[in-house]
Amino acid sequence: MKEKPFTIASFEGFLQEKKLMGSRCTQCGALWLPPRPICPSCKHDGMEWTEFSGKGKLAAFTVIGVGPMPMIDSGYNRDNPYCAGIVEVEEGPRISAQILGVDVVHPENIKIGMPLTADYVERGSWHFVEELAKNRKMYLTFRA
Amino acid sequence: MVGAGMSAFGIRPDVTNRELFAEAFLDMRRSVDKQFDLKDIEALYVGNCGAEMWESQTAIGALCANEVGISPRPALKIEDACASSSVALREGIMGIASGMYDMVAAGGTEKMSTLSTNWTTMALACGSDTSYEGAAGFTFPGLYASMATAHMERYGTTHDDMLRVAIKNHSNGALNPKAHFPMTIKGVMEMRIAKAKEKGTPVPNWADEMEFLNDPRYNPVIAWPNTLFDCCPVTDGAACILLVAEELATEFTDTPIYIIGSGQASGQNLHDRETLTSIPAAVIAAQQAYEMADVVPQDIDIAEVHDCFTIAEIMAIADVGFFEEGAEAAKAAAEGKTARDGIKPVNVSGGLKCKGHPVGATGSAQIVEIFEQMRGSAGARQVTGRDIELALTHNIGAHGTTAVVQIYERRQ
């Protein structure tokens, strides 16, 4: 079977199947999440898809009241803020994601290093132009 | 550099980008000590981040050239988020260094006040990696807030350390007539007290400005831990610099300012960086600039750095080598080291925090301050008691995907 191209669309396609997929360099073995077509480490352009376990820990975070439109449309606002963070997955790479299941009312209780598991939520697309924002799709999140 | 000027920064409802740019251009023209002919400007480089979004207008380079009367000279619009006008200036430098041009104008303009808070948040977030960072719900205050939580975790930095940066930069900007909010934090606090008395509502009883800043009713969280006063405002404004070939400089002024070091680097989105507590592109750009100028951080007399959020200044003063990354940089404002009378004055203009941050104009506006400070024409905010021979600017595009660091010299 021909490999899917190492694109954002392919990564998002896997998210629809609730799979967290990245790329592995066939030359140096480095892992990339999100997937990369050219290895940033050894510059080789041979990659293969690899599934990540979805287990990770929180590396940095914030709690946001005024978010981008897809978050506002999902019901988030100053009275109902959400957590966004950077997650270091157990295989090594880091990725950005909404963080669910944490105490957004008391952000000081959210701890860097806390264990997280990948989860998937549907919301509108991230686009400045409204016409492009209509498509709903599955997005990566992590849950405490 | 033989001329430098800027528009008033603030909410400017009655003007568009081209008119803001013309205001800066005229201010620049007035700053040139000897006569010069506009016809000698051979090219125009205009930094702009988002006129498409805020003003439904592309191709503003030519519009600006027309407005200031230098058509048909070539005009370029250059976009690198909040570093747009530093990048524009560098392109101008290269136009002259290549031998192609003897005189160019370079600057930037941004009109931001047209959209609601929600849509301005979106427009700014377009500078993130929207497919991954935007998709995660990150906003710009949120991305820098994440760097702040990483800094707090790694170095024990406190939110009060961050707020000290805001207090310092507002005390500088209070002296800047072109600043968006030319007030000290204490002044803001006293205004709130006066307003409460006037309205007959309970009068807040803050002991000092730090207590005021820690009152969430008056300083709400924007993206935790970033509060309102950790964030720069949304500002309309423009700035413009006149560059000429080195050997011609004294034809236009007896006190030209020389750009002796210039560095620029690109960087990754936040989650791909090896560090979350420093901006690697800024470190690389600074190394390039120091190497080209053949000076070291200790030699720099004053600096304007990219304090779009308070934590950004704490990281910036470490990334350019003034202070050690971590506690030393985090406490620099609290200890007075970066104050106007400190060992290393930083953001004497008020910084992005107080002066305002019209994103595509910010880099060149930083340079306007350096130009005026080095020539002793900064008025009430002139740094005194030291000879300013070397200065530095540090301008970040987006959350660190572009960085420009430059070093300036005044020759005797």
Side-chain angles (χ1 to χ4, degrees), chain A:
Chain A
M1 194 190 80
K2 196 175 171 290
E3 292 265 44
K4 282 189 182 182
F6 298 92
T7 58
I8 294 162
S10 297
F11 174 77
E12 289 180 344
F14 285 123
L15 293 183
Q16 309 315 303
E17 301 167 24
K18 302 195 173 184
K19 275 185 174 171
L20 184 57
M21 300 291 284
S23 62
R24 183 203 311 273
C25 176
T26 58
Q27 181 168 278
C28 76
L31 292 172
W32 301 101
L33 181 74
R36 299 285 293 257
I38 300 166
C39 180
S41 184
C42 76
K43 318 303 176 193
H44 181 60
D45 67 348
M47 287 281 173
E48 59 190 12
W49 284 102
T50 182
E51 184 167 1
F52 285 79
S53 70
K55 290 196 175 69
K57 58 183 186 184
L58 191 63
F61 71 97
T62 180
V63 173
I64 298 175
V66 180
M69 284 302 166
M71 304 306 285
I72 293 174
D73 292 341
S74 299
Y76 295 108
N77 52 45
R78 283 192 177 91
D79 299 323
N80 182 31
Y82 62 92
C83 178
I86 291 175
V87 180
E88 186 173 317
V89 299
E90 63 176 2
E91 294 88 349
R94 289 198 283 235
I95 192 163
S96 299
Q98 184 186 356
I99 311 298
L100 300 168
V102 291
D103 186 359
V104 292
V105 181
H106 303 99
E108 58 279 8
N109 293 341
I110 303 173
K111 296 296 175 205
I112 287 177
M114 69 194 295
L116 301 165
T117 310
D119 198 356
Y120 305 86
V121 299
E122 193 189 279
R123 56 175 176 255
S125 298
W126 201 109
H127 278 292
F128 191 82
V129 178
E130 218 171 342
E131 186 178 298
L132 297 172
K134 285 175 190 157
N135 291 337
R136 293 182 70 79
K137 54 190 179 190
M138 210 70 94
Y139 280 93
L140 174 67
T141 67
F142 277 81
R143 193 173 283 280

Side-chain angles (χ1 to χ4, degrees), chain B residues 78-269:
Chain B
I78 289 165
E79 194 274 314
D80 258 304
C82 318
S84 296
S85 63
S86 286
V87 175
L89 190 96
R90 260 176 65 90
E91 293 304 308
I93 292 169
M94 284 183 260
I96 289 177
S98 74
M100 180 77 93
Y101 301 131
D102 283 330
M103 179 189 280
V104 304
T109 180
E110 205 76 56
K111 169 84 179 178
M112 303 177 73
S113 64
T114 53
L115 293 174
S116 65
T117 300
N118 285 354
W119 281 104
T120 289
T121 300
M122 276 297 274
L124 289 168
C126 284
S128 71
D129 180 344
T130 61
S131 297
Y132 297 116
E133 295 171 325
F138 273 121
T139 56
F140 259 80
L143 285 162
Y144 275 94
S146 297
M147 297 183 218
T149 57
H151 212 277
M152 290 168 159
E153 171 75 12
R154 186 168 177 189
Y155 296 118
T157 305
T158 66
H159 187 235
D160 280 4
D161 293 336
M162 292 160 59
L163 292 172
R164 288 286 171 196
V165 174
I167 292 171
K168 187 253 304 172
N169 289 352
H170 270 270
S171 81
N172 289 341
L175 303 170
N176 188 345
K178 285 183 176 167
H180 189 161
F181 290 111
M183 289 184 89
T184 61
I185 299 282
K186 203 170 176 206
V188 177
M189 178 181 94
E190 282 160 359
M191 199 175 75
R192 297 276 181 267
I193 291 171
K195 224 166 215 173
K197 282 180 182 161
E198 189 188 305
K199 281 188 183 165
T201 52
V203 178
N205 187 26
W206 302 299
D208 56 22
E209 62 254 64
M210 194 52 96
E211 221 176 280
F212 162 68
L213 290 174
N214 278 307
D215 185 339
R217 292 169 305 169
Y218 290 84
N219 185 23
V221 171
I222 301 297
W224 194 89
N226 275 337
T227 60
L228 182 66
F229 280 91
D230 288 295
C231 306
C232 64
V234 168
T235 304
D236 304 328
C240 187
I241 313 288
L242 188 64
L243 296 172
V244 299
E246 185 170 2
E247 63 274 15
L248 303 177
T250 50
E251 288 180 23
F252 301 96
T253 174
D254 295 334
T255 49
I257 301 300
Y258 296 86
I259 302 168
I260 60 166
S262 181
Q264 182 182 339
S266 59
Q268 298 132 316
N269 61 23

